[in-house]
Amino acid sequence: QVQLVESGGGSVQAGGSLRLSCAASEYTWCMAWFRQAPGKEREEVARTVNGRTASYSESVKGRFTISTDNAKNTLYLQMNSLKPEDTAMYYCAAGTSSCNDQYWGQGTQVTVSS
């Protein structure tokens, strides 16, 4: 059972930056960030496989950067030029041998004010 713990959320004004972290209890091959705003469906924000590839949703491309520190089993999401529509609960998810997102963290809240 992989444990995932997110941190780094908070409140920021539009145009600001935040960096989210997701500490995993062990190495995971595929990791992703999702977000869910009240009344909206969960959205995949970014994904990385083995820390070597990165993909982003169109809504965050060019503003967010996903990265990993494999030595620390930690996933990051650098979020720049934040917009009020980025306000959501952010979750990390992981799969140990495939991108099946079988493990989830508890989430960290990001609030962007205009």
Side-chain angles (χ1 to χ4, degrees), residues 70-100:
N70 287 340
K72 297 181 179 179
N73 293 330
T74 300
L75 176 73
Y76 301 101
L77 186 68
Q78 178 67 44
M79 306 186 295
N80 298 329
S81 302
L82 283 161
K83 304 175 181 180
E85 51 263 44
D86 294 319
T87 295
M89 184 71 78
Y90 284 71
Y91 301 89
C92 71
T96 54
S97 58
S98 68
C99 290
N100 60 0

Short mmCIF file of all heavy atoms in Angstrom, two decimals, residues 70-100:
data_model
loop_
_atom_site.label_atom_id
_atom_site.label_comp_id
_atom_site.label_asym_id
_atom_site.label_seq_id
_atom_site.Cartn_x
_atom_site.Cartn_y
_atom_site.Cartn_z
N ASN A 70 13.24 11.63 -7.54
CA ASN A 70 13.14 10.19 -7.31
C ASN A 70 13.89 9.76 -6.05
O ASN A 70 13.52 8.78 -5.40
CB ASN A 70 13.67 9.43 -8.52
CG ASN A 70 12.70 9.49 -9.69
OD1 ASN A 70 11.51 9.76 -9.52
ND2 ASN A 70 13.21 9.27 -10.89
N ALA A 71 14.93 10.49 -5.69
CA ALA A 71 15.67 10.15 -4.48
C ALA A 71 14.80 10.33 -3.24
O ALA A 71 15.01 9.65 -2.22
CB ALA A 71 16.93 11.01 -4.38
N LYS A 72 13.84 11.24 -3.33
CA LYS A 72 12.96 11.52 -2.19
C LYS A 72 11.56 10.95 -2.40
O LYS A 72 10.69 11.13 -1.54
CB LYS A 72 12.85 13.04 -1.97
CG LYS A 72 14.16 13.72 -1.60
CD LYS A 72 13.95 15.21 -1.39
CE LYS A 72 15.23 15.90 -1.00
NZ LYS A 72 15.04 17.37 -0.82
N ASN A 73 11.35 10.26 -3.53
CA ASN A 73 10.01 9.74 -3.85
C ASN A 73 8.96 10.84 -3.74
O ASN A 73 7.88 10.66 -3.14
CB ASN A 73 9.63 8.57 -2.94
CG ASN A 73 10.50 7.36 -3.16
OD1 ASN A 73 10.98 7.12 -4.28
ND2 ASN A 73 10.72 6.58 -2.12
N THR A 74 9.28 12.01 -4.27
CA THR A 74 8.39 13.16 -4.14
C THR A 74 8.04 13.73 -5.50
O THR A 74 8.90 13.87 -6.37
CB THR A 74 9.04 14.24 -3.27
OG1 THR A 74 9.30 13.69 -1.96
CG2 THR A 74 8.11 15.44 -3.10
N LEU A 75 6.77 14.04 -5.65
CA LEU A 75 6.23 14.66 -6.85
C LEU A 75 5.93 16.11 -6.54
O LEU A 75 5.48 16.45 -5.44
CB LEU A 75 4.93 13.95 -7.26
CG LEU A 75 4.16 14.51 -8.44
CD1 LEU A 75 4.89 14.19 -9.74
CD2 LEU A 75 2.74 13.93 -8.46
N TYR A 76 6.21 16.98 -7.51
CA TYR A 76 5.96 18.41 -7.33
C TYR A 76 5.05 18.93 -8.43
O TYR A 76 4.99 18.37 -9.52
CB TYR A 76 7.27 19.19 -7.37
CG TYR A 76 8.26 18.78 -6.32
CD1 TYR A 76 9.33 17.95 -6.63
CD2 TYR A 76 8.14 19.23 -5.00
CE1 TYR A 76 10.25 17.57 -5.67
CE2 TYR A 76 9.05 18.84 -4.03
CZ TYR A 76 10.10 18.01 -4.37
OH TYR A 76 11.00 17.62 -3.42
N LEU A 77 4.39 20.03 -8.13
CA LEU A 77 3.66 20.79 -9.15
C LEU A 77 3.93 22.26 -8.89
O LEU A 77 3.43 22.82 -7.91
CB LEU A 77 2.16 20.50 -9.10
CG LEU A 77 1.36 21.15 -10.23
CD1 LEU A 77 1.72 20.49 -11.57
CD2 LEU A 77 -0.14 21.03 -9.98
N GLN A 78 4.75 22.84 -9.74
CA GLN A 78 5.01 24.28 -9.67
C GLN A 78 3.91 24.99 -10.44
O GLN A 78 3.73 24.73 -11.63
CB GLN A 78 6.38 24.61 -10.25
CG GLN A 78 6.70 26.09 -10.26
CD GLN A 78 6.86 26.67 -8.86
OE1 GLN A 78 7.50 26.06 -8.01
NE2 GLN A 78 6.28 27.83 -8.64
N MET A 79 3.20 25.86 -9.77
CA MET A 79 2.07 26.55 -10.38
C MET A 79 2.36 28.04 -10.41
O MET A 79 2.50 28.67 -9.35
CB MET A 79 0.79 26.27 -9.59
CG MET A 79 0.50 24.79 -9.39
SD MET A 79 -1.10 24.47 -8.61
CE MET A 79 -0.81 25.21 -7.00
N ASN A 80 2.48 28.58 -11.60
CA ASN A 80 2.75 30.01 -11.79
C ASN A 80 1.57 30.68 -12.48
O ASN A 80 0.71 30.01 -13.06
CB ASN A 80 4.01 30.20 -12.63
CG ASN A 80 5.25 29.64 -11.96
OD1 ASN A 80 5.37 29.62 -10.74
ND2 ASN A 80 6.19 29.17 -12.78
N SER A 81 1.53 31.98 -12.43
CA SER A 81 0.47 32.76 -13.07
C SER A 81 -0.90 32.20 -12.72
O SER A 81 -1.75 31.98 -13.60
CB SER A 81 0.67 32.76 -14.60
OG SER A 81 1.93 33.28 -14.94
N LEU A 82 -1.11 31.99 -11.45
CA LEU A 82 -2.36 31.38 -11.01
C LEU A 82 -3.56 32.26 -11.29
O LEU A 82 -3.47 33.50 -11.24
CB LEU A 82 -2.28 31.04 -9.52
CG LEU A 82 -1.46 29.78 -9.20
CD1 LEU A 82 -1.04 29.77 -7.75
CD2 LEU A 82 -2.26 28.55 -9.55
N LYS A 83 -4.67 31.61 -11.60
CA LYS A 83 -5.92 32.29 -11.92
C LYS A 83 -6.99 31.84 -10.93
O LYS A 83 -6.90 30.74 -10.37
CB LYS A 83 -6.36 31.92 -13.34
CG LYS A 83 -5.34 32.20 -14.42
CD LYS A 83 -5.83 31.69 -15.76
CE LYS A 83 -4.81 31.94 -16.85
NZ LYS A 83 -5.29 31.45 -18.17
N PRO A 84 -8.02 32.65 -10.73
CA PRO A 84 -9.10 32.22 -9.83
C PRO A 84 -9.70 30.88 -10.22
O PRO A 84 -10.12 30.10 -9.34
CB PRO A 84 -10.12 33.36 -9.97
CG PRO A 84 -9.29 34.55 -10.29
CD PRO A 84 -8.20 34.05 -11.19
N GLU A 85 -9.72 30.58 -11.52
CA GLU A 85 -10.29 29.29 -11.96
C GLU A 85 -9.40 28.10 -11.61
O GLU A 85 -9.79 26.95 -11.83
CB GLU A 85 -10.59 29.31 -13.45
CG GLU A 85 -9.45 29.77 -14.32
CD GLU A 85 -9.56 31.25 -14.68
OE1 GLU A 85 -9.87 32.08 -13.79
OE2 GLU A 85 -9.29 31.57 -15.87
N ASP A 86 -8.20 28.34 -11.09
CA ASP A 86 -7.35 27.26 -10.61
C ASP A 86 -7.73 26.83 -9.19
O ASP A 86 -7.20 25.84 -8.68
CB ASP A 86 -5.88 27.68 -10.62
CG ASP A 86 -5.34 27.93 -12.01
OD1 ASP A 86 -5.66 27.14 -12.92
OD2 ASP A 86 -4.59 28.91 -12.18
N THR A 87 -8.64 27.56 -8.58
CA THR A 87 -9.08 27.22 -7.23
C THR A 87 -9.73 25.84 -7.21
O THR A 87 -10.66 25.58 -7.98
CB THR A 87 -10.08 28.27 -6.71
OG1 THR A 87 -9.41 29.53 -6.59
CG2 THR A 87 -10.67 27.86 -5.37
N ALA A 88 -9.22 24.97 -6.37
CA ALA A 88 -9.70 23.59 -6.30
C ALA A 88 -8.95 22.84 -5.21
O ALA A 88 -7.96 23.35 -4.67
CB ALA A 88 -9.49 22.87 -7.63
N MET A 89 -9.44 21.65 -4.92
CA MET A 89 -8.67 20.72 -4.12
C MET A 89 -7.78 19.94 -5.08
O MET A 89 -8.26 19.43 -6.09
CB MET A 89 -9.58 19.76 -3.37
CG MET A 89 -8.87 18.83 -2.43
SD MET A 89 -8.21 19.65 -0.98
CE MET A 89 -9.72 19.81 -0.01
N TYR A 90 -6.50 19.91 -4.77
CA TYR A 90 -5.54 19.22 -5.63
C TYR A 90 -5.12 17.90 -4.98
O TYR A 90 -4.78 17.86 -3.79
CB TYR A 90 -4.31 20.11 -5.86
CG TYR A 90 -4.57 21.21 -6.85
CD1 TYR A 90 -5.39 22.29 -6.53
CD2 TYR A 90 -4.00 21.19 -8.12
CE1 TYR A 90 -5.65 23.30 -7.45
CE2 TYR A 90 -4.25 22.19 -9.04
CZ TYR A 90 -5.07 23.24 -8.69
OH TYR A 90 -5.32 24.24 -9.61
N TYR A 91 -5.12 16.86 -5.80
CA TYR A 91 -4.79 15.52 -5.33
C TYR A 91 -3.64 14.95 -6.17
O TYR A 91 -3.59 15.19 -7.38
CB TYR A 91 -5.97 14.57 -5.48
CG TYR A 91 -7.21 14.97 -4.73
CD1 TYR A 91 -8.16 15.79 -5.31
CD2 TYR A 91 -7.43 14.49 -3.43
CE1 TYR A 91 -9.31 16.15 -4.62
CE2 TYR A 91 -8.58 14.84 -2.74
CZ TYR A 91 -9.51 15.67 -3.34
OH TYR A 91 -10.65 16.01 -2.65
N CYS A 92 -2.79 14.20 -5.55
CA CYS A 92 -1.84 13.42 -6.34
C CYS A 92 -2.30 11.97 -6.35
O CYS A 92 -2.97 11.50 -5.43
CB CYS A 92 -0.40 13.55 -5.83
SG CYS A 92 -0.04 12.75 -4.28
N ALA A 93 -1.96 11.31 -7.44
CA ALA A 93 -2.31 9.92 -7.64
C ALA A 93 -1.11 9.19 -8.20
O ALA A 93 -0.27 9.79 -8.88
CB ALA A 93 -3.51 9.80 -8.58
N ALA A 94 -1.04 7.88 -7.96
CA ALA A 94 0.14 7.14 -8.39
C ALA A 94 -0.22 5.70 -8.72
O ALA A 94 -1.17 5.14 -8.17
CB ALA A 94 1.21 7.17 -7.30
N GLY A 95 0.57 5.16 -9.61
CA GLY A 95 0.50 3.74 -9.92
C GLY A 95 1.90 3.18 -9.86
O GLY A 95 2.84 3.83 -10.33
N THR A 96 2.04 2.00 -9.31
CA THR A 96 3.38 1.46 -9.12
C THR A 96 3.96 0.86 -10.40
O THR A 96 5.17 0.91 -10.61
CB THR A 96 3.39 0.41 -8.01
OG1 THR A 96 2.40 -0.58 -8.31
CG2 THR A 96 3.10 1.03 -6.67
N SER A 97 3.12 0.30 -11.26
CA SER A 97 3.65 -0.31 -12.48
C SER A 97 2.85 0.08 -13.72
O SER A 97 3.19 -0.36 -14.82
CB SER A 97 3.66 -1.82 -12.33
OG SER A 97 2.36 -2.30 -12.06
N SER A 98 1.85 0.90 -13.56
CA SER A 98 1.09 1.41 -14.69
C SER A 98 0.42 2.72 -14.27
O SER A 98 0.44 3.07 -13.08
CB SER A 98 0.01 0.41 -15.13
OG SER A 98 -1.00 0.30 -14.14
N CYS A 99 -0.15 3.40 -15.23
CA CYS A 99 -0.82 4.68 -14.92
C CYS A 99 -2.28 4.41 -14.58
O CYS A 99 -3.19 4.95 -15.21
CB CYS A 99 -0.69 5.63 -16.10
SG CYS A 99 0.98 6.26 -16.35
N ASN A 100 -2.51 3.60 -13.57
CA ASN A 100 -3.87 3.25 -13.18
C ASN A 100 -4.37 4.06 -11.99
O ASN A 100 -5.50 3.87 -11.53
CB ASN A 100 -4.00 1.76 -12.88
CG ASN A 100 -3.09 1.32 -11.74
OD1 ASN A 100 -2.36 2.13 -11.16
ND2 ASN A 100 -3.13 0.04 -11.40
#
